Amino acid sequence: MMTAFWVFTLAAIGTYLIRLSGIAILGDGRELSPRVRKALTLVAPAAMAAIIANALLLDAGQWREFGAWHVAAAVAVGVALWKRSMGWTLVAGAGAFAVLLLLGF
Amino acid sequence: MPGSVVFGLAFGALVVEAGLPAWLAPYASSTVTAGASQIAIVEALRQNAPMLIAVATALVINARLALYSASLAPVFAAFPRRWKLILAYLMTDQSAAVSVLEAPRWPDPVRRRWFILGVSGPFVAVWIAGTAAGAALGPVIPEEWQIGFIVPLMFIAVMVPALRDWPAIAAAGIATAVVLLLKDLPFGLNVLCGALLGIAIAAFVPERKGTSAADIDPDTSPEVPS
């Protein structure tokens, strides 16, 4: 438990410094180099895809047995590409997951 | 804003489900204040990751905030230091985007900072409140509901609609492949490696056909609507 407390605390300090970085350093007209800017725009898709793959396709380091998780996630991805909307994706994914669980999938 | 509530509820419930004390959920949300990284920390702790790896994973995910901070530097330039310090704390994906887009409508620095406080503050407040509610509700959610599914679902909902250019698609694809190939690494290190390699390799993918055309095979280079 104390480990968790310290992890959140250290992550909080580091995250705050990241939030402050540009505001503090770039205030007087200086700009980010295009290379750094591009790398930073790739953080979100890379990090989120890594978390999705780890949470969806693996379970405690082993392959997750095929089932409701995969099917509902596929529905969510399909709706996300079709509607380009976070809200619809959540509704469709959670709805599909609930139906699959009720069907005993 | 509703997304912020749902995400908050889910994070609170996850903290409890992972066997951590409920108060850690609102503590995390009011200090780290960045949902994706908070979920990644819970996942890392669940796999008994050492502190350093859990923190590093969170900071890699939050490195995207440096981009917002850079975009907001000219917007915040005329603000007093204490305002910069407060508004930096309230910076989130949603509020940063709104602040950058709407700032030109508020040329007066005093009105502008109150406007930004007005768009940023509620997001953070709702996020913390939602988390606390989720942590309180967590214990009554039956195990059969498999609340853990909210982790991939939430990230699919945030990431997939935003996948619009080839470097981003490449980053996501490479990260996924690395995470699966390195699945036997301990402590959730596969996630950290996946994210870092996804960023590093996709940085060389050109934004659209022809930007660095020399080394692209025209038959395999994708058709990109620009």
Side-chain angles (χ1 to χ4, degrees):
Chain A
M1 186 210 92
M2 281 316 283
T3 309
F5 172 78
W6 285 113
V7 168
F8 282 122
T9 304
L10 292 172
I13 295 167
T15 301
Y16 183 66
L17 293 176
I18 292 171
R19 284 188 164 104
L20 209 51
S21 61
I23 299 169
I25 300 166
L26 300 170
D28 49 1
R30 271 178 294 174
E31 292 208 353
L32 281 182
S33 77
R35 185 165 288 274
V36 173
R37 177 169 289 272
K38 183 169 181 188
L40 290 175
T41 60
L42 295 174
V43 168
M48 290 187 192
I51 296 172
I52 293 169
N54 193 56
L56 179 68
L57 303 175
L58 302 177
D59 185 11
Q62 297 306 311
W63 293 104
R64 181 182 294 283
E65 204 180 321
F66 185 81
W69 286 57
H70 303 76
V71 179
V75 171
V77 169
V79 171
L81 291 173
W82 173 38
K83 291 283 187 185
R84 296 275 168 184
S85 144
M86 179 176 164
W88 280 112
T89 305
L90 282 177
V91 169
F97 191 62
V99 169
L100 288 164
L101 288 187
L102 285 173
L103 292 175
F105 207 93
Chain B
M1 194 71 87
S4 188
V5 179
V6 177
F7 204 178
L9 284 168
F11 174 71
L14 266 180
V15 165
V16 176
E17 200 229 19
L20 296 166
W23 62 266
L24 265 177
Y27 173 75
S29 288
S30 52
T31 55
V32 183
T33 332
S37 65
Q38 292 172 219
I39 286 184
I41 288 175
V42 173
E43 293 281 298
L45 291 172
R46 213 199 276 268
Q47 297 182 49
N48 294 319
M51 217 190 283
L52 185 68
I53 292 170
V55 174
T57 306
L59 294 183
V60 167
I61 293 170
N62 289 342
R64 73 189 189 288
L65 295 168
L67 189 67
Y68 306 151
S69 188
S71 306
L72 285 167
V75 175
F76 287 11
F79 297 170
R81 175 175 294 175
R82 65 175 187 284
W83 275 88
K84 288 183 183 171
L85 295 176
I86 293 167
L87 293 179
Y89 162 69
L90 296 174
M91 182 192 301
T92 59
D93 300 76
Q94 302 91 335
S95 70
V98 175
S99 301
V100 171
L101 285 175
E102 297 287 324
R105 290 180 47 207
W106 307 85
D108 174 38
V110 176
R111 290 185 178 210
R112 179 184 285 183
R113 60 193 183 234
W114 284 103
F115 168 75
I116 293 172
L117 182 66
V119 291
S120 316
F123 269 116
V124 174
V126 164
W127 167 240
I128 297 170
T131 305
L137 290 173
V140 299
I141 297 175
E143 200 175 320
E144 304 84 69
W145 287 18
Q146 305 191 39
I147 183 80
F149 182 66
I150 196 75
V151 176
L153 178 59
M154 209 64 225
F155 285 104
I156 287 171
V158 176
M159 182 194 78
V160 176
L163 283 183
R164 288 179 184 278
D165 59 5
W166 288 108
I169 293 168
I174 294 162
T176 302
V178 171
V179 164
L180 299 178
L181 286 172
L182 300 182
K183 74 181 175 63
D184 294 324
L185 284 186
F187 312 131
L189 267 173
N190 58 336
V191 174
L192 186 57
C193 292
L196 287 173
L197 281 172
I199 297 162
I201 300 172
F204 294 98
V205 174
E207 309 245 339
R208 70 182 73 141
K209 196 171 170 179
T211 42
S212 60
D215 51 352
I216 310 171
D217 176 351
D219 294 329
T220 56
S221 72
E223 297 292 333
V224 188
S226 54

